[in-house]
Amino acid sequence: MLTVTNLTSERDDRILFANLNFSLHAGDLLQIEGQNGSGKTTLLRILCGLSSHFSGKIYWQNQDVSQQLPNFLQALLYVGHHAGIKAALTAEENLRWMQRLHPLLNRCTITEALNQVGLYGYEDVPCYALSAGQQRRVSLARLYLSSHPLWILDEPFTAIDKKGVLEKEALIVKHVQQGGMCILTTHHDFDLPKQTIRRINLDQLAHTITSVDTTPSYLVSV
Amino acid sequence: MLTVTNLTSERDDRILFANLNFSLHAGDLLQIEGQNGSGKTTLLRILCGLSSHFSGKIYWQNQDVSQQLPNFLQALLYVGHHAGIKAALTAEENLRWMQRLHPLLNRCTITEALNQVGLYGYEDVPCYALSAGQQRRVSLARLYLSSHPLWILDEPFTAIDKKGVLEKEALIVKHVQQGGMCILTTHHDFDLPKQTIRRINLDQLAHTITSVDTTPSYLVSV
Amino acid sequence: MNFLNAAIKRELLLALRNRSEIINPLAFFLLVITLFPLAVSPEAKVLANIAPGIIWVAALLATLLSMDSLFKNDYDDGSLEQIVVSPQSLALLALGKVISHWLSTGFLLALLSPVLAVMLFLPSEAMPALVGSLLIGTPTLSLIGAIGAALTVGLRKGGVLISLLVLPLYIPVLIFGAATVQAGALNLPISGHLALLGAMMVFTLLLAPFAIAAALKLSIRN
Amino acid sequence: MNFLNAAIKRELLLALRNRSEIINPLAFFLLVITLFPLAVSPEAKVLANIAPGIIWVAALLATLLSMDSLFKNDYDDGSLEQIVVSPQSLALLALGKVISHWLSTGFLLALLSPVLAVMLFLPSEAMPALVGSLLIGTPTLSLIGAIGAALTVGLRKGGVLISLLVLPLYIPVLIFGAATVQAGALNLPISGHLALLGAMMVFTLLLAPFAIAAALKLSIRN
Amino acid sequence: MNIKMPKWFYQLASPKWSYDIMGMLMPWFGLAALLLLVTGIVWGLMFAPPDYQQGNSYRIIYIHVPSAILAQSCFMLMAVAGIIGMVWKMKVAHIVAKSAAPIGASMTIIALSTGAIWGKPTWGAWWVWDARLTSMLILLFLYLGIIALYSAFSNKASGDQAASILTLVGVVNIPIIKYSVEWWNTLHQPASFTLTKKPAMPPEMWVPLLIMVLGYYCFFAYVLMARTRIELLEREHKSGWVTALLTDTP
Ligand code: HEM
Ligand SMILES: Nc1ncnc2c1ncn2[C@@H]1O[C@H](COP(=O)(O)OP(=O)(O)OP(=O)(O)O)[C@@H](O)[C@H]1O
Ligand SMILES: Nc1ncnc2c1ncn2[C@@H]1O[C@H](COP(=O)(O)OP(=O)(O)OP(=O)(O)O)[C@@H](O)[C@H]1O
Ligand SMILES: [Mg+2]
Ligand SMILES: [Mg+2]
């Protein structure tokens, strides 16, 4: 269970969001919304411990994350803006290395995962010779491999074609239905009933803050 | 007018498309469709002269492109996968340089263009301090500046939020309605009546080829 | 010419934006030269004897190493692509880049060299020869290095491959440069040497921009 | 230990994939050393005198320059991020990277050095001292260099800044390394020198991995 | 550039035609190389008189000099092929240049190592920084750079052109290197050992040497054509004539 209290982030004197509070339980799917530059990526990176531009507290299983980082990292799968794959290695070699890093990438075999993302026949091609979407698919193959409880995904559908997006959406829904948690950002429409998905809109948050705070803050043009 | 005859491309012994024929006239909007890895980016780069992995002919105003490259480049605006902006420079400085490169980026002032893409207030921020979507917006500000007859856009909407996508779609439609030409790839749905937009699907092309070896002439309905 | 001007200005602006780019070759030059008294011998007689050679080798290496990033950044962020699809002359742009590169390396190295020469006990009669040979010789190094940089820019981690390509071509400049300083130290006439270095410079100045432009196009289209 | 193994294997695989990474520091070493006879003097007596210093400076520079890319690629493509959000030890990974880096630079340099020593007329009695000092000294260079690389990896175009940070720390190794060879050439005992170099290696080996890991985390979170 | 050339020149541009012609010529060159090399070696090593100063160690000349000569000729050939390839867009010329590069590099290595072996007894050192030796070493570096460049490009056509640019820049530089290196050497130090003074050789010594040089050229042509043909097949493996070739000979 992930809980966030009073999370505030500012960059270069612009407050992105302030006093953000939420908690995420098993089975929750949380979508961070907001226009470009509203701070979605920043928020996700803060949650993963990849950014120190924040104040506030983050708890994992009711304990401060910084007190039990290894536990938290054990449970976390993060897919960021950058694919995190080596161009010189093949898809298979890349995923094998990911498995070394994350013991919980053990749900199925690598070959199965690659088939699932439609890279059958490309196992042995070095990744630099793959198209933009195919490279992204290699990175997303981790979702099929993962038995992590918590997924944090930043624009996972970038460069993926329509059929691919539908498949990955279904996978994410399945993950939370089986008791996983997922936080993601995406500009794609996620067509799901209200009760399945929760949304936090950072644009609105930015609005509320600018009026309260005393720092000469900046209103993002809408 | 852009005409392509018998365009064939292969990478590492995989034929991406063969004997592609089409022509584009004033007022045409052409969307290249196809799943990830089908060769959309490759095709666009070939058209712009950025790839030599092809055989076939490309004509501009009924003359071979390679015979009159300066003419062709004068008329062309290309927005690729990479934003083509310098992280250390501000949005304004970047666009000013683009104007030096392309004399036809003269439709409005840079400030106007930046306002149009919602970067009002960010003119003086170096681009590395912009979010993924904001960086893309800087690159797309060129569309507002451009009076080039031919636009070639590779996934222009990547990382752009929903409102931004709608605005840019409208801009593209306006461009062709005023007699411009546009070739683009996008995995977003482009909601337009059939007569406004033409589509070439590379998946189908790939299918027909792989079975036949003697390279039949495949004509896309124009 | 107008465009050449704009290109030079842009490069200098970029160099100023991350000042490290200017300071680094200088710092490297300084540090390499201070290594020799430590590694070889602190004796004035030994050092004075080898000083011309060492200063020239250090200047050559400082130029060579800063060469690697000359086109790399432009390649990675798509700026180079944009220049290739623009109607402007690539050779002119390349020349602009080389000129501003030289201003921020070779030129500054030449100005700094007398200080280092004093540290290596080079007799003061040799100073004009030192500064003169560096001023006339380093442009040739920048021009030839840019050919190597352009040839390797598209290669994944071309890295130090550029050294292999470029160093053999640097050797005549090195030999005549060091010989000029040695002649200067012995109070021999140096105008013959300088004329030769000047001839090399003019020769490369006339030919290199075209070789660079051709190499850049190749690298992009690979 | 298992993970250390896997990390080393991955790095060596990557190095093999673009073989230039292995050949390049060697080629650079070779080329730099051939520059000195050309720039300084072809006389055997002069060269033999300065050979220990030159070879050590060249080895130092070859190590230093290959250092720059040690973490850069992992940073740019997001691999480093992935390692930070994984439960594996960053220090162990860093150690693995340094070890494989040393195997493909320092180790090979040491093996190659006798050939170059012959070209500089170093007396054959000095060969054991040369190879020994390089074998024991270069790991320290790799370890210290990796700290510098980790500190600068996140900086836009940190470029040669790393030299500035690292070279001062290299100086003790350089002094003792070159002194070892000089002693060897004079048929003096060298075991004291080697023991000192060994002590430096052990000391950095114990401390550097943690410094590297801390620096990497800093760079990522900036 | 459109410079009119004779017909056979354009025929050369056809991969199939070149492949066939080389197939025809190869056996002759192979045979000539074999005859000349065997004659030269036997004559040089067994029948030529020993040198009055160096005794028998001079006999390495029969390997050393031909390889040194060839190492330089090969670079010229690559430059000419590079120009033809760039100006007339002739693929075959590029392929010839590419096939020649490793041969030239090997010849350079042979010249260097036989020279080094020879240097030890005559000069007492494996290596001296003499003008000729130095420019040879630089030539080796140029070869290695060119080979590295060929292999670094994924698009073979791009690699060809990149290497051609480097070859042309290099070939312009070679006379400059030679000149500068020679000047550098004589300026600072009277060379302790000069290679430029020809040892007054009796004909019994230089005739076998001449035969060896000719043999080397034939051998070079033979290997070059073999390598070119292989490269042609590899590049053209999709085209009709290669498929026909492969299906014709079961
Ligand atoms: C690594 C060391 C050496 C290198 C790189 C080298 C290189 C060369 C080169 C480039 C040539 C010119 C071929 C031509 O174009 O005519 C040559 C010729 C020759 N070399 Fe060497 N050489 C080396 C060592 C030696 C040694 C040690 C000797 C014997 C003392 C020697 C004796 C000769 C002779 C007699 C010729 C023929 C001279 C002539 O026809 O002009 N070389 N060598
Ligand atoms: N550098 C390269 N070397 C070899 N093959 C490549 C290279 N780049 C791309 N390819 C291959 O070319 C094919 C088409 O790539 P391309 O980038 O054109 O696809 P795309 O249609 O743009 O896909 P996406 O929707 O993912 O952007 C892919 O199958 C890929 O494997
Ligand atoms: N390195 C940085 N230095 C300073 N400010 C930054 C930096 N990176 C981002 N910012 C600022 O932080 C804000 C939020 O950026 P972030 O990347 O989190 O936005 P985002 O919501 O993910 O946007 P997008 O939809 O475009 O991905 C932006 O306004 C940007 O200007
Ligand atoms: Mg974002
Ligand atoms: Mg694409």
Side-chain angles (χ1 to χ4, degrees):
Chain A
M1 208 194 68
L2 185 75
T3 309
V4 163
T5 59
N6 286 325
L7 201 66
T8 302
S9 174
E10 73 178 81
R11 305 263 353 205
D12 299 339
D13 294 343
R14 273 177 232 238
I15 292 184
L16 297 177
F17 46 83
N19 298 318
L20 187 62
N21 291 286
F22 65 85
S23 61
L24 203 71
H25 301 87
D28 279 356
L29 173 55
L30 177 65
Q31 181 180 359
I32 312 292
E33 291 183 321
Q35 62 184 20
N36 290 139
S38 55
K40 304 180 292 297
T41 298
T42 309
L43 173 58
L44 298 195
R45 289 180 69 88
I46 290 172
L47 295 179
C48 296
L50 287 175
S51 172
S52 51
H53 291 270
F54 73 102
S55 64
K57 290 273 175 212
I58 305 165
Y59 300 91
W60 174 244
Q61 316 288 26
N62 299 321
Q63 261 195 309
D64 197 323
V65 156
S66 54
Q67 307 289 323
Q68 43 146 8
L69 206 58
N71 265 344
F72 175 65
L73 293 179
Q74 191 90 40
L76 168 70
L77 181 74
Y78 169 66
V79 177
H81 259 301
H82 293 288
I85 53 173
K86 282 272 151 217
L89 299 184
T90 66
E92 194 170 336
E93 288 163 346
N94 267 301
L95 291 175
R96 201 170 302 296
W97 169 248
M98 296 283 186
Q99 282 187 326
R100 294 309 304 236
L101 286 180
H102 296 275
L104 286 188
L105 287 177
N106 55 4
R107 203 185 189 87
C108 62
T109 67
I110 288 176
T111 319
E112 280 163 19
L114 283 177
N115 286 350
Q116 296 272 8
V117 292
L119 287 175
Y120 176 77
Y122 287 86
E123 299 88 350
D124 296 332
V125 179
C127 286
Y128 64 79
L130 295 179
S131 78
Q134 287 172 324
Q135 291 189 17
R136 194 78 196 161
R137 279 159 182 262
V138 176
S139 177
L140 291 179
R142 275 180 288 169
L143 299 184
Y144 290 94
L145 287 169
S146 159
S147 41
H148 296 82
L150 176 62
W151 289 0
I152 296 191
L153 315 175
D154 195 359
E155 297 285 342
F157 307 138
T158 305
I160 301 283
D161 60 26
K162 273 177 232 156
K163 185 157 153 282
V165 171
L166 289 179
E167 288 165 10
K168 260 110 247 162
E169 278 186 10
L171 182 70
I172 291 171
V173 170
K174 193 173 135 208
H175 169 71
V176 295
Q177 275 168 358
Q178 291 176 352
M181 291 170 257
C182 180
I183 308 183
L184 88 170
T185 71
T186 171
H187 294 302
H188 285 248
D189 262 324
F190 218 133
D191 248 344
L192 288 173
K194 255 245 146 67
Q195 57 270 40
T196 335
I197 186 164
R198 250 169 53 215
R199 295 194 168 90
I200 293 182
N201 194 316
L202 294 186
D203 294 341
Q204 291 153 22
L205 264 171
H207 276 297
T208 49
I209 320 141
T210 42
S211 48
V212 234
D213 211 276
T214 47
T215 8
S217 54
Y218 195 87
L219 189 72
V220 181
S221 64
V222 179
Chain B
M1 207 195 68
L2 185 74
T3 309
V4 163
T5 59
N6 286 323
L7 202 66
T8 303
S9 175
E10 73 177 82
R11 303 272 341 214
D12 300 338
D13 293 343
R14 270 177 236 245
I15 292 182
L16 297 177
F17 47 82
N19 297 320
L20 186 63
N21 292 285
F22 65 84
S23 60
L24 203 72
H25 301 87
D28 279 355
L29 172 56
L30 176 64
Q31 181 179 1
I32 312 292
E33 291 184 322
Q35 61 184 20
N36 291 140
S38 55
K40 304 181 292 298
T41 298
T42 309
L43 173 57
L44 297 195
R45 289 180 68 87
I46 290 172
L47 293 180
C48 298
L50 289 174
S51 172
S52 50
H53 291 268
F54 75 101
S55 63
K57 289 271 177 216
I58 305 166
Y59 300 92
W60 174 245
Q61 318 285 28
N62 299 321
Q63 259 196 309
D64 197 323
V65 156
S66 53
Q67 306 290 325
Q68 42 145 8
L69 206 58
N71 266 344
F72 176 66
L73 294 179
Q74 191 91 39
L76 167 71
L77 181 75
Y78 169 66
V79 177
H81 259 299
H82 294 289
I85 54 173
K86 283 272 150 217
L89 300 184
T90 66
E92 194 172 334
E93 287 162 346
N94 267 302
L95 290 176
R96 201 170 302 294
W97 170 247
M98 296 283 185
Q99 282 187 325
R100 294 308 304 236
L101 286 180
H102 296 274
L104 286 188
L105 287 177
N106 56 4
R107 205 188 190 84
C108 61
T109 69
I110 288 177
T111 320
E112 279 164 20
L114 283 176
N115 285 351
Q116 297 272 9
V117 292
L119 286 176
Y120 176 77
Y122 287 86
E123 298 88 349
D124 296 331
V125 179
C127 287
Y128 64 80
L130 296 178
S131 78
Q134 288 172 323
Q135 291 188 16
R136 194 77 196 161
R137 278 162 183 261
V138 176
S139 176
L140 289 181
R142 273 179 288 167
L143 299 185
Y144 289 94
L145 287 170
S146 157
S147 42
H148 296 83
L150 175 62
W151 289 0
I152 296 191
L153 316 174
D154 196 359
E155 297 284 343
F157 308 139
T158 305
I160 301 285
D161 59 25
K162 271 177 236 159
K163 184 157 152 285
V165 171
L166 288 180
E167 288 165 9
K168 258 111 247 159
E169 278 184 10
L171 182 68
I172 292 171
V173 170
K174 193 172 134 209
H175 170 70
V176 295
Q177 275 169 355
Q178 292 177 348
M181 293 171 254
C182 179
I183 308 182
L184 88 171
T185 71
T186 172
H187 294 304
H188 288 251
D189 261 326
F190 217 131
D191 248 347
L192 290 175
K194 253 248 144 71
Q195 58 271 39
T196 334
I197 188 163
R198 246 168 55 212
R199 296 194 167 89
I200 291 181
N201 194 317
L202 294 185
D203 295 340
Q204 292 155 19
L205 266 173
H207 277 295
T208 46
I209 317 142
T210 40
S211 48
V212 202
D213 211 321
T214 47
T215 52
S217 162
Y218 188 93
L219 196 74
V220 178
S221 58
V222 176
Chain C
M1 279 307 114
N2 236 336
F3 180 63
L4 179 63
N5 232 322
I8 295 177
K9 271 201 199 126
R10 172 176 186 250
E11 291 302 313
L12 290 178
L13 179 67
L14 278 168
L16 278 175
R17 276 293 153 77
N18 38 102
R19 234 154 295 162
S20 68
E21 280 224 323
I22 300 186
I23 299 170
N24 285 339
L26 287 182
F28 181 81
F29 185 57
L30 196 80
L31 287 166
V32 168
I33 285 183
T34 53
L35 290 182
F36 279 94
L38 299 172
V40 174
S41 146
E43 273 173 71
K45 242 202 297 181
V46 177
L47 286 176
N49 206 9
I50 60 175
I54 288 182
I55 295 179
W56 255 94
V57 169
L60 186 153
L61 290 177
T63 310
L64 180 65
L65 299 174
S66 58
M67 222 70 238
D68 189 31
S69 64
L70 187 65
F71 299 112
K72 200 87 193 161
N73 298 318
D74 279 351
Y75 182 86
D76 288 343
D77 64 18
S79 308
L80 202 56
E81 239 171 60
Q82 283 300 328
I83 295 162
V84 173
V85 297
S86 85
Q88 304 293 352
S89 149
L90 195 55
L92 217 53
L93 178 105
L95 185 61
K97 280 190 94 79
V98 175
I99 290 175
S100 66
H101 174 267
W102 177 75
L103 285 175
S104 63
T105 56
F107 180 63
L108 295 181
L109 292 185
L111 297 189
L112 186 69
S113 60
V115 182
L116 298 170
V118 168
M119 291 172 66
L120 295 180
F121 309 104
L122 190 72
S124 57
E125 300 85 53
M127 292 304 164
L130 181 66
V131 178
S133 66
L134 284 174
L135 278 181
I136 303 179
T138 46
T140 314
L141 299 184
S142 292
L143 285 161
I144 297 178
I147 301 179
L151 284 172
T152 54
V153 67
L155 309 176
R156 261 153 296 99
K157 306 185 199 146
V160 206
L161 174 60
I162 181 175
S163 319
L164 188 64
L165 302 186
V166 161
L167 270 185
L169 304 176
Y170 274 7
I171 284 174
V173 183
L174 176 70
I175 289 177
F176 286 117
T180 313
V181 187
Q182 279 157 351
L186 299 173
N187 266 324
L188 298 175
I190 55 167
S191 52
H193 286 90
L194 290 181
L196 242 163
L197 285 174
M200 286 185 198
M201 180 180 84
V202 172
F203 185 70
T204 41
L205 192 59
L206 291 178
L207 293 186
F210 302 99
I212 300 170
L216 283 177
K217 279 196 187 135
L218 275 179
S219 295
I220 289 251
R221 292 190 185 143
N222 176 37
Chain D
M1 279 307 113
N2 234 337
F3 179 63
L4 179 62
N5 233 322
I8 295 175
K9 269 200 201 129
R10 171 174 186 256
E11 292 302 314
L12 289 179
L13 179 65
L14 278 169
L16 278 177
R17 275 296 152 78
N18 38 102
R19 236 157 292 162
S20 68
E21 281 225 322
I22 301 186
I23 299 170
N24 285 340
L26 287 180
F28 181 80
F29 185 57
L30 196 78
L31 287 166
V32 168
I33 286 184
T34 54
L35 290 183
F36 280 96
L38 297 173
V40 175
S41 148
E43 272 174 72
K45 245 200 299 182
V46 177
L47 287 175
N49 206 10
I50 60 174
I54 288 182
I55 295 179
W56 255 94
V57 170
L60 186 153
L61 290 178
T63 310
L64 181 65
L65 298 174
S66 58
M67 224 66 238
D68 189 32
S69 65
L70 188 65
F71 299 113
K72 199 87 196 159
N73 298 319
D74 279 352
Y75 181 85
D76 288 342
D77 65 18
S79 308
L80 202 56
E81 241 171 56
Q82 284 300 328
I83 294 161
V84 172
V85 298
S86 86
Q88 303 293 352
S89 150
L90 196 54
L92 217 52
L93 177 105
L95 185 60
K97 278 189 94 76
V98 175
I99 290 175
S100 67
H101 175 265
W102 178 74
L103 284 176
S104 63
T105 57
F107 180 64
L108 294 182
L109 292 185
L111 296 189
L112 185 71
S113 60
V115 180
L116 298 171
V118 166
M119 294 179 79
L120 296 180
F121 309 107
L122 191 72
S124 58
E125 301 85 51
M127 292 301 166
L130 180 67
V131 177
S133 66
L134 283 174
L135 277 180
I136 303 180
T138 46
T140 315
L141 298 184
S142 291
L143 285 161
I144 297 178
I147 302 178
L151 281 172
T152 53
V153 67
L155 310 176
R156 260 153 298 100
K157 307 187 199 145
V160 206
L161 173 61
I162 181 174
S163 319
L164 207 57
L165 298 180
V166 161
L167 269 185
L169 302 174
Y170 275 5
I171 285 176
V173 184
L174 177 69
I175 291 178
F176 285 110
T180 313
V181 187
Q182 277 157 352
L186 299 173
N187 265 324
L188 300 173
I190 55 165
S191 51
H193 286 92
L194 289 182
L196 239 164
L197 285 174
M200 286 185 201
M201 180 178 83
V202 173
F203 183 71
T204 41
L205 192 59
L206 291 178
L207 293 186
F210 301 100
I212 300 169
L216 283 178
K217 276 192 188 140
L218 267 182
S219 295
I220 287 254
R221 289 192 185 140
N222 173 40
Chain E
M1 251 182 280
N2 269 325
I3 306 168
K4 273 266 173 287
M5 299 297 277
K7 181 162 169 265
W8 59 265
F9 185 79
Y10 292 101
Q11 276 177 329
L12 266 178
S14 145
K16 177 171 165 31
W17 195 83
S18 318
Y19 181 87
D20 292 342
I21 276 288
M22 287 183 200
M24 268 167 51
L25 291 177
M26 262 178 69
W28 298 107
F29 277 101
L31 197 67
L34 193 71
L35 286 176
L36 288 168
L37 287 178
V38 169
T39 319
I41 290 257
V42 172
W43 190 346
L45 293 190
M46 311 238 246
F47 298 106
D51 188 77
Y52 71 97
Q53 242 182 352
Q54 302 184 17
N56 281 321
S57 74
Y58 90 96
R59 291 183 198 277
I60 204 169
I61 200 175
Y62 297 114
I63 313 245
H64 171 75
V65 171
S67 17
I69 291 173
L70 218 72
Q72 298 164 61
S73 311
C74 180
F75 204 90
M76 299 305 291
L77 178 117
M78 285 167 57
V80 171
I83 292 181
I84 295 176
M86 299 284 271
V87 173
W88 290 280
K89 309 252 178 300
M90 198 181 282
K91 221 168 26 173
V92 178
H94 282 307
I95 294 178
V96 168
K98 182 179 183 179
S99 313
I103 312 177
S106 325
M107 289 299 165
T108 316
I109 290 174
I110 293 174
L112 281 170
S113 41
T114 50
I117 293 168
W118 197 2
K120 190 66 184 169
T122 39
W123 304 335
W126 298 101
W127 181 263
V128 294
W129 290 96
D130 162 89
R132 201 173 233 179
L133 276 58
T134 306
S135 55
M136 207 63 181
L137 187 65
I138 296 167
L139 183 66
L140 176 66
F141 290 151
L142 278 173
Y143 271 124
L144 294 181
I146 289 165
I147 293 171
L149 208 54
Y150 272 119
S151 63
F153 279 80
S154 75
N155 185 347
K156 291 203 168 137
S158 305
D160 288 344
Q161 294 183 33
S164 294
I165 292 177
L166 186 65
T167 313
L168 291 180
V169 176
V171 87
V172 169
N173 216 38
I174 278 187
I176 306 181
I177 292 174
K178 261 204 140 130
Y179 196 61
S180 62
V181 164
E182 235 148 76
W183 197 27
W184 149 80
N185 213 358
T186 49
L187 188 77
H188 305 298
Q189 172 225 17
S192 351
F193 312 94
T194 45
L195 284 174
T196 36
K197 264 190 241 143
K198 213 175 235 174
M201 268 197 262
E204 307 89 85
M205 283 188 186
W206 67 255
V207 171
L209 184 59
L210 189 68
I211 293 178
M212 281 302 285
V213 172
L214 289 177
Y216 258 67
Y217 270 108
C218 292
F219 175 71
F220 173 72
Y222 178 79
V223 178
L224 180 61
M225 286 193 273
R227 288 182 56 90
T228 306
R229 273 164 54 103
I230 293 173
E231 183 77 21
L232 273 173
L233 284 186
E234 215 174 291
R235 297 229 188 156
E236 300 279 309
H237 71 281
K238 281 271 178 56
S239 65
W241 66 272
V242 177
T243 335
L245 194 77
L246 294 180
T247 42
D248 277 359
T249 47

